[in-house]
Amino acid sequence: MSDPSSTATSVCVRAASADDAASVAAAVEALLIELGGARPSPPELEAAARELVENESSGALLIAEASEEIVGVLAASWQHAIHVPGRYGTIQDLWVHPQWRSRAVGRDLIEGLVALAGELGIGRLEVGLPQESFAQIDATERFYLGNGFEQLGPRMRRLLQ
C-alpha cells in the first residue's frame, strides 16, 4: 500500500475497467465487513463490478488510485422515479482504504460522480446511510453533509429471496 503521508503521492479518480473488477470486489468486501452485514461471495462481487462497468446505462463505477493501487471505490446506479424529473443517481457503495481516509479521497470520488452526472444531464444524487448501529454513523453523516448532501429521511428494504 502506498504511503498516504507522502506529499508526492497523488490520487487519481477514473472510471473503472473490467480489469479492475477483482480489486473493486475486494474493496467492496472490505466495506461490507466494516459495516457488519452479510456479504456476497467474492466471485459474485466481482461479477457485479464487471456488470456495472460493462453497462454504463445502469450506473457508474469509479476508482481512486495512488501509485497504481486502488485506495477508494464509488459505485452508483442511475434511477428513474415519478417524483424526480429525469434520472437521478444513487450512491450504492463508497469505500476508502483506512490509511487514506481524511485525505479527501471520498470527496474526490463524489466530485468525479458529480462531473459524470452533469455530463449525462443527471441533476440529483442520493445516498442511503448505514444502519444507526454502525459505529461510525455520525462521521459518515458528517462526511456526506460536508460534501453537499442534505437529510432526506430513512430508507427501508424488503428482501425477496
Side-chain angles (χ1 to χ4, degrees):
M1 176 62 49
S2 302
D3 179 7
S5 63
S6 169
T7 56
T9 303
S10 64
V11 173
C12 172
V13 173
R14 65 172 175 82
S17 71
D19 292 339
D20 298 314
S23 296
V24 167
V28 172
E29 183 175 31
L31 169 66
L32 295 172
I33 289 169
E34 189 173 338
L35 293 173
R39 58 190 189 275
S41 70
E44 290 172 311
L45 291 170
E46 192 171 331
R50 275 199 174 81
E51 184 176 331
L52 190 54
V53 166
E54 293 168 1
N55 187 359
E56 293 177 357
S57 65
S58 66
L61 182 56
L62 303 176
I63 62 170
E65 279 185 319
S67 301
E68 298 182 18
E69 293 180 58
I70 292 179
V71 298
V73 170
L74 185 150
S77 59
W78 306 134
Q79 310 289 318
H80 292 271
I82 294 171
H83 70 278
V84 177
R87 292 189 303 168
Y88 68 98
T90 300
I91 296 173
Q92 303 293 348
D93 304 295
L94 176 56
W95 172 84
V96 174
H97 190 284
Q99 292 179 345
W100 285 85
R101 292 180 186 165
S102 298
R103 298 185 179 277
V105 174
R107 181 205 64 208
D108 291 349
L109 285 163
I110 288 174
E111 290 305 315
L113 182 62
V114 166
L116 178 60
E119 291 171 14
L120 297 173
I122 295 170
R124 177 176 172 157
L125 296 174
E126 295 184 2
V127 65
L129 296 179
Q131 295 180 17
E132 289 186 20
S133 61
F134 177 57
Q136 298 297 320
I137 187 67
D138 291 338
T140 302
E141 186 174 7
R142 280 192 308 276
F143 168 78
Y144 283 109
L145 289 170
N147 280 283
F149 288 78
E150 58 188 40
Q151 292 290 346
L152 188 59
R155 292 171 51 164
M156 299 178 78
R157 74 173 177 192
R158 177 179 173 182
L159 299 177
L160 302 178
Q161 295 182 17

